[in-house]
Amino acid sequence: MSRKKTRALLALAGLLTATAACGGGGEGGDGPVTLDYVMWVDSQVPAYKQCADAFTRKNPGITIKLSSVAWAQYWQNLTTQVVSGTAPDVFRDSVAYYPQFARNNQLLDLTEYVERDKVDLGQYQKGLADVWVRDGKRYGLPLDWDTIGVFYNKDQVKAAGLDPAGFAEWTWNPQDGGTFEKAIAALSVDDKGRRGTDPDFDKEHVKVYGIAPDYNTGALGQTGWAAFAASNGFTYLDKNPFGTKYFYDDPKLAETIDWFAGLIKKGYAPPYDKQSALGGDAVLQGGKTAMVMAGSWMAKPYLDNKTLNLDVAPLPAGPQGRRTPINGVSDAIYAGTEHKEEAWQWVKFTASAECQDLIAATTEVLPAITTSSEKALAAHEAAGRNVKPFVDEAKAAGGTFLLPVTDNADKINEIMDAAISSVLLGSADARTALPKANTEVNALFQ
């Protein structure tokens, strides 16, 4: 018997022992098991394929069948699958959607597995492990983290006579936009070459917008209004996770949304009806904007794009300082899987340093384990990418906040997306539309 076969059999024996200890030994039988594993980011598939291959080498009886579904269809498909009993064994999960699956007992409670295998929850970026717990039950382990920054076109910044060194200190307020809006104005150019700082700037014939905000951020505002509202004193709700009273009627939020609407009126940002379906990325790729706000997950594709010639700056500091949402994802196990123990072994592996170090080397994301995250930062630096603004934001005392984790996320998103869109379209006033929407949101918890 070869050493390789011996190691394989020992690994399998260890897995079967663990399975028996958990009381789920008969679920998958003794034969080979294939786990269906689905995520929504296609670019991350090759990175996690490396993890899958490494996992199968250690666990020869388990194969990972990995696939990706675009975000727009992902949750719709998953909702149908869990109801019909055909959901994948393991799937990528979001803080916005896991509460409803947990409430409906469609996710496997990982608490006993985590305790049995002594998973170190302290190895992850602070706060990320906490959001995956509901009513004392754990439904996920952190995989990665992200913060938000401002990607800008270096050529257009130079042409506008702006010094990017000053971007680290730029400020924002909802009244005049601070130095951040001054930069946006300077980067806005009409078809006659006049900039937004010129009194004769033609807002009806804009060639390049100073910024293309992400308008489709719904109730969370992750890559849009959230950081600005938070820096203006806004908080989403009474408790996070699992609060039951939202504060979308806060005038601080109305001020923030009005400021974004003002950028459109001034011609500094694309009209809502022309950009909302495309997104800021499409406007950036088309050379029609000088800046976008995006998450650290875009660092690799944006900073490696020689045509766009981008760099990244931190978000501006608002009246209450610089704030950014910090967010992450996890893997969930479908409660109806026939391979609970094998699925747990895979979920534990993707949340381990062994897998996250592999992910770090690809620089697709910043891993949740702090030591792996440092390796990703080193890999970014070695590749010549500047991701320091994202890291500095995450490390700043009081500089981050978690996105809301509550029930009714899909309904809340529908209500708030409609309300905020009406303001950006110019068909409603934020001080009227947002309180009305907030009443509808809080009625969901009655």
Side-chain angles (χ1 to χ4, degrees):
M1 183 180 292
S2 69
R3 290 185 177 181
K4 185 176 181 180
K5 286 185 177 179
T6 300
R7 288 197 298 271
L9 289 174
L10 286 173
L12 180 59
L15 174 60
L16 293 176
T17 300
T19 302
C22 191
E27 292 167 339
D30 294 333
V33 169
T34 297
L35 296 176
D36 284 322
Y37 176 52
V38 182
M39 58 176 58
W40 62 73
V41 182
D42 199 47
S43 63
Q44 294 180 16
V45 170
Y48 277 92
K49 181 67 166 56
Q50 292 185 40
C51 285
D53 292 343
F55 176 77
T56 298
R57 284 194 294 272
K58 299 181 70 173
N59 303 275
I62 309 174
T63 301
I64 309 300
K65 183 181 177 184
L66 201 163
S67 60
S68 175
V69 177
W71 174 270
Q73 293 298 319
Y74 186 86
W75 298 106
Q76 183 177 346
N77 290 358
L78 202 53
T79 300
T80 302
Q81 289 167 337
V82 295
V83 171
S84 63
T86 59
D89 302 286
V90 181
F91 58 89
R92 186 61 48 85
D93 210 356
S94 159
V95 294
Y97 288 90
Y98 104 80
Q100 68 187 50
F101 290 121
R103 182 180 59 185
N104 295 329
N105 299 313
Q106 292 161 330
L107 303 181
L108 184 66
D109 176 12
L110 305 181
T111 307
E112 290 187 9
Y113 296 90
V114 170
E115 292 175 356
R116 182 197 73 189
D117 292 352
K118 298 179 173 55
V119 176
D120 178 13
L121 299 176
Q123 66 185 320
Y124 303 110
Q125 183 84 16
K126 185 178 179 181
L128 294 183
D130 300 339
V131 300
W132 302 104
V133 176
R134 177 170 195 174
D135 299 330
K137 298 178 180 178
R138 173 167 294 283
Y139 296 103
L141 294 171
L143 294 180
D144 57 30
W145 65 271
D146 55 70
T147 55
I148 307 301
V150 181
F151 289 91
Y152 62 89
N153 182 295
K154 292 190 286 187
D155 296 331
Q156 293 174 0
V157 165
K158 183 178 180 180
L162 299 175
D163 180 4
F167 292 174
E169 304 299 329
W170 54 20
T171 60
W172 172 84
N173 65 73
Q175 287 73 46
D176 64 14
T179 58
F180 186 58
E181 183 169 328
K182 286 184 171 61
I184 293 172
L187 289 165
S188 301
V189 184
D190 69 16
D191 62 354
K192 297 292 194 303
R194 294 170 297 208
R195 297 190 175 275
T197 50
D198 188 325
D200 294 326
F201 173 72
D202 184 356
K203 65 181 182 181
E204 303 298 334
H205 298 88
V206 180
K207 182 179 180 181
V208 177
Y209 295 98
I211 193 167
D214 189 351
Y215 297 141
N216 296 313
T217 58
L220 304 182
Q222 184 182 9
T223 53
W225 53 264
F228 295 82
S231 74
N232 195 33
F234 167 76
T235 56
Y236 290 98
L237 69 172
D238 57 347
K239 185 178 70 172
N240 197 23
F242 297 111
T244 57
K245 183 178 181 182
Y246 273 88
F247 302 131
Y248 287 121
D249 57 346
D250 187 340
K252 298 294 184 184
L253 176 60
E255 290 179 339
T256 304
I257 302 301
D258 274 341
W259 178 76
F260 276 95
L263 292 181
I264 297 172
K265 293 175 183 174
K266 294 173 183 175
Y268 298 167
Y272 176 88
D273 55 347
K274 293 184 178 178
Q275 185 201 302
S276 61
L278 298 174
D281 177 69
V283 183
L284 181 71
Q285 300 285 351
K288 295 285 290 182
T289 185
M291 297 193 295
V292 295
M293 293 176 290
S296 46
W297 63 85
M298 292 302 294
K300 184 176 183 178
Y302 275 172
L303 300 180
D304 284 359
N305 190 321
K306 302 304 181 188
T307 302
L308 293 176
N309 195 24
L310 301 177
D311 203 346
V312 63
L315 293 163
Q320 297 193 19
R322 178 176 290 116
R323 306 292 306 281
T324 175
I326 187 168
N327 191 41
V329 298
S330 76
D331 283 333
I333 299 176
Y334 170 47
T337 178
E338 295 180 352
H339 310 294
K340 291 184 174 61
E341 178 61 30
E342 291 87 349
W344 161 244
Q345 294 299 327
W346 169 237
V347 166
K348 183 173 68 171
F349 188 76
T350 61
S352 72
E354 185 172 354
C355 173
Q356 296 202 5
D357 282 354
L358 291 172
I359 301 299
T362 70
T363 64
E364 288 295 335
V365 296
L366 298 171
I369 295 177
T370 54
T371 54
S372 301
S373 188
E374 291 298 325
K375 292 176 181 177
L377 297 176
H380 273 299
E381 186 175 352
R385 302 186 200 107
N386 169 32
V387 295
K388 189 172 182 295
F390 298 110
V391 180
D392 289 346
E393 289 179 345
K395 290 182 176 178
T400 62
F401 61 92
L402 294 171
L403 297 172
V405 180
T406 70
D407 287 323
N408 305 308
D410 52 344
K411 296 176 183 175
I412 295 170
N413 193 63
E414 184 177 342
I415 293 169
M416 292 311 304
D417 186 58
I420 293 172
S421 295
S422 69
V423 178
L424 297 177
L425 273 168
S427 60
D429 173 74
R431 286 167 176 76
T432 303
L434 299 187
K436 181 181 178 183
N438 190 62
T439 300
E440 294 181 47
V441 167
N442 285 330
L444 297 171
F445 295 89
Q446 301 303 311

